[in-house]
């Protein structure tokens, strides 16, 4: 087989092989399809001005052209024309149009993103895939629900006892995590410690230490009063958040379920300097039996993530969310950085699709394009053989996630 034939075969595999989307979120319900600005498709920027600025990025210009082509619009259609056209399409038609060519066989959905009343249940997405959708349990949201129930129970009982609430929270969290870990519908867990208090997670295995128990009880009292007056509760307190992560790590390891960590790329709620996966090194060492998945390419800390993936047996690297947030050049650079050091049997792809079906479409199309272009270049430089390149593709898109999450799937090849 000559070089040109090798490239054609690589292209065929990259764009046709089925995929497991190892991290995504639910679609908006039809009645809520306009609940959030569509600019969230191409940027994590917050605020009207920032969202409008995002439409001038290279990433948005490219997404506009690709969606215009999908919708059958003229090549010079702009962002507003794309928005107008999608509004005119029946929602079911829009969803099927976007998902039809993705070749996503299975989706692992983190259904704790928020706005649960505005999004579909995870199994609703089965209509677009060849294999059943699985859940990823967001542990901070689970912990908040347990704490809310404990607070409400105390007010019903007419008693506000921080020590009893403390005990109820700890036992409830342990039980809920154990139940989720044993659930065949749950593929793994996810922590957003990166958003709440940073990835410098301390090895807090107990909150019963005299040095912290009084502070935690005071905090629980404040949270109780806030929740009962405003019906709001958000865990962003380092002692408790780190404890939640440690309990999750232990239970997940005992049940063989991976724990995903949001790393890097996010909105302005993140402290960027605390979003590098390098901060997780003590946690990685402390729980060698627990599989850790570093999400979102850890951008802009991809090199650090590749290093951790290379030197720790229990660390794996997801390359997602950069599609479509980064320019095409940026995406290729990140994929190259992923491949610089990380073992190729430990990398996985995801869309980080959320709310809009277009996020799944662009996340798939652009990822396949970037993967093809990077591997094509390596083949042309005689750095890779065709079989090696194909092995990387199949692993990154399907085989690695299938193994790491113990999904037990066979790839469904559609000719």
């Amino acid at each position: 087989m000559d070089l040109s034939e090798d490239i054609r075969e690589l292209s065929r595999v990259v764009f046709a092989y089925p995929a497991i989307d190892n991290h995504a979120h639910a679609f908006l319900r039809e009645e809520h399809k306009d609940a959030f600005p569509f600019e969230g498709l191409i940027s994590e920027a917050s605020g009207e001005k920032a969202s409008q600025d995002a439409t001038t990025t290279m990433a948005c210009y490219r997404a506009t052209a690709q969606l215009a082509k999908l919708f059958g619009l003229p090549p010079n259609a702009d962002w507003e024309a794309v928005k107008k056209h999608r509004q005119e399409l029946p929602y079911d038609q829009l969803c099927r149009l976007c998902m039809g060519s993705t070749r996503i066989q299975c989706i692992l959905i983190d259904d704790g993103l928020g706005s649960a009343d505005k999004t579909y249940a995870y199994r609703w997405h089965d209509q677009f895939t060849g294999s059943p959708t699985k859940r990823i349990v967001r542990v901070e949201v689970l912990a908040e629900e347990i704490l809310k129930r404990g607070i409400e129970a105390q007010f019903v009982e007419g008693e506000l006892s921080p020590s009893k609430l403390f005990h109820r929270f700890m036992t409830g969290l342990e039980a809920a995590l154990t139940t989720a870990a044993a659930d065949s519908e749950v593929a793994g867990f996810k922590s957003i410690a990166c958003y709440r208090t940073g990835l410098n997670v301390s090895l807090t295995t107990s909150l019963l230490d005299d040095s912290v128990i009084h502070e935690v009880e005071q905090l629980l009292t404040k949270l109780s009063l806030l929740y009962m007056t405003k019906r709001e509760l958000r865990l962003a307190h380092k002692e408790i958040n780190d404890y939640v992560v440690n309990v999750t790590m232990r239970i997940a390891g005992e049940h063989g379920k991976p724990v995903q960590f949001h790393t890097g790329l996010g909105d302005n709620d993140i402290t960027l300097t605390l979003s590098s996966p390098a901060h997780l090194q003590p946690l990685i060492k402390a729980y060698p039996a627990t599989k850790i998945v570093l999400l979102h390419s850890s951008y802009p800390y991809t090199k650090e993530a590749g290093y951790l993936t290379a030197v720790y047996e229990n660390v794996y690297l997801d390359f997602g969310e950069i599609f479509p947030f980064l320019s095409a050049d940026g995406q290729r650079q990140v994929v190259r950085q992923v491949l610089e050091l990380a073992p190729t049997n430990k990398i996985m792809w995801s869309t980080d699709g959320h709310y809009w079906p277009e996020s799944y479409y662009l996340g798939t199309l652009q990822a396949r394009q970037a993967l093809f272009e990077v591997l094509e270049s390596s083949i042309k430089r005689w750095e890779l053989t065709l079989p090696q390149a194909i092995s990387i593709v199949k692993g990154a898109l399907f085989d690695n996630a299938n193994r790491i999450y113990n999904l037990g799937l066979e790839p469904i090849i559609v000719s």
Side-chain angles (χ1 to χ4, degrees), residues 30-287:
E30 181 172 5
E31 62 269 28
H32 298 296
K33 65 186 179 72
D34 301 316
F36 304 103
F38 189 54
E39 285 69 26
L41 177 73
I42 43 89
S43 175
E44 290 268 24
S46 302
E48 184 177 354
K49 179 63 168 64
S51 294
Q52 288 303 314
D53 289 343
T55 64
T56 69
T57 62
M58 293 287 286
C60 184
Y61 293 145
R62 183 185 184 208
T64 300
Q66 290 175 328
L67 291 178
K69 183 177 181 180
L70 176 69
F71 295 154
L73 300 176
N76 61 347
D78 62 12
W79 181 248
E80 292 302 318
V82 166
K83 288 171 63 176
K84 181 176 183 294
H85 184 82
R86 73 179 302 274
Q87 284 281 48
E88 295 169 350
L89 288 175
Y91 193 59
D92 181 69
Q93 181 182 340
L94 175 66
C95 292
R96 295 190 181 281
L97 179 63
C98 290
M99 294 297 289
S101 62
T102 62
R103 298 184 186 266
I104 296 174
Q105 182 176 323
C106 176
I107 310 171
L108 309 185
I109 287 187
D110 164 15
D111 53 7
L113 180 62
S115 308
D117 59 324
K118 295 181 173 63
T119 58
Y120 288 108
Y122 72 101
R123 289 302 296 269
W124 176 88
H125 303 76
D126 287 358
Q127 63 188 295
F128 306 115
T129 61
S131 299
T133 305
K134 298 290 185 181
R135 286 188 68 210
I136 298 292
V137 175
R138 187 179 289 214
V139 296
E140 286 82 5
V141 172
L142 179 65
E144 287 167 350
E145 290 303 316
I146 292 165
L147 189 53
K148 288 176 185 177
R149 289 198 295 269
I151 293 170
E152 289 168 350
Q154 286 209 341
F155 272 82
V156 169
E157 296 162 0
E159 176 188 31
L160 180 57
S161 169
S163 60
K164 288 184 180 179
L165 178 59
F166 186 32
H167 177 74
R168 185 175 270 163
F169 172 70
M170 289 193 299
T171 56
L173 178 66
E174 180 100 11
L177 287 170
T178 301
T179 298
D183 188 348
S184 61
E185 289 291 289
V186 174
F189 297 97
K190 179 191 176 182
S191 171
I192 54 168
C194 184
Y195 272 104
R196 299 300 177 84
T197 52
L199 291 179
N200 56 334
V201 178
S202 60
L203 302 179
T204 305
T205 57
S206 173
L207 291 176
L208 297 175
D209 189 279
D210 290 340
S211 62
V212 298
I213 190 169
H214 180 64
E215 182 181 346
V216 171
E217 288 184 352
Q218 283 187 320
L219 173 60
L220 290 177
T221 300
K222 292 178 182 177
L223 288 174
S224 297
L225 295 174
L226 178 64
Y227 177 64
M228 294 309 296
T229 55
K230 295 188 176 181
R231 309 304 292 180
E232 295 175 358
L233 193 152
R234 184 175 188 268
L235 281 182
H237 309 277
K238 190 163 177 56
E239 292 82 4
I240 295 180
N241 285 72
D242 288 358
Y243 172 73
V244 169
V245 170
N246 278 268
V247 176
T248 301
M249 291 290 290
R250 173 175 56 80
I251 292 174
E254 292 169 352
H255 289 80
K257 295 287 174 81
V259 181
Q260 301 177 344
F261 280 88
H262 182 114
T263 62
L265 191 58
D267 61 31
N268 61 10
D269 195 31
I270 280 178
T271 299
L272 186 59
T273 54
L274 294 178
S275 70
S276 167
H279 291 292
L280 290 172
Q281 198 165 5
L283 198 72
I284 293 167
K285 291 180 179 180
Y287 297 94

Side-chain angles (χ1 to χ4, degrees), residues 277-278 280-282 284-285 287-288 290 292 294 302-317 338 340-347:
L280 290 172
Q281 198 165 5
I284 293 167
K285 291 180 179 180
Y287 297 94
T290 305
I292 295 172
L294 306 175
T302 309
K303 288 178 179 286
E304 287 90 335
Y307 183 95
L308 295 171
T309 306
V311 300
Y312 292 106
E313 183 180 353
N314 59 327
V315 178
Y316 303 86
L317 179 53
V338 167
E340 280 178 2
L341 190 59
T344 60
N345 66 339
K346 297 179 74 180
I347 63 173

Side-chain angles (χ1 to χ4, degrees), residues 379-397:
I379 288 177
K380 286 182 174 179
R381 293 194 303 269
W382 306 102
E383 297 166 355
L384 273 181
T385 65
L386 176 63
Q388 289 168 341
I390 287 176
S391 176
I392 292 172
V393 171
K394 290 182 176 181
L397 293 180

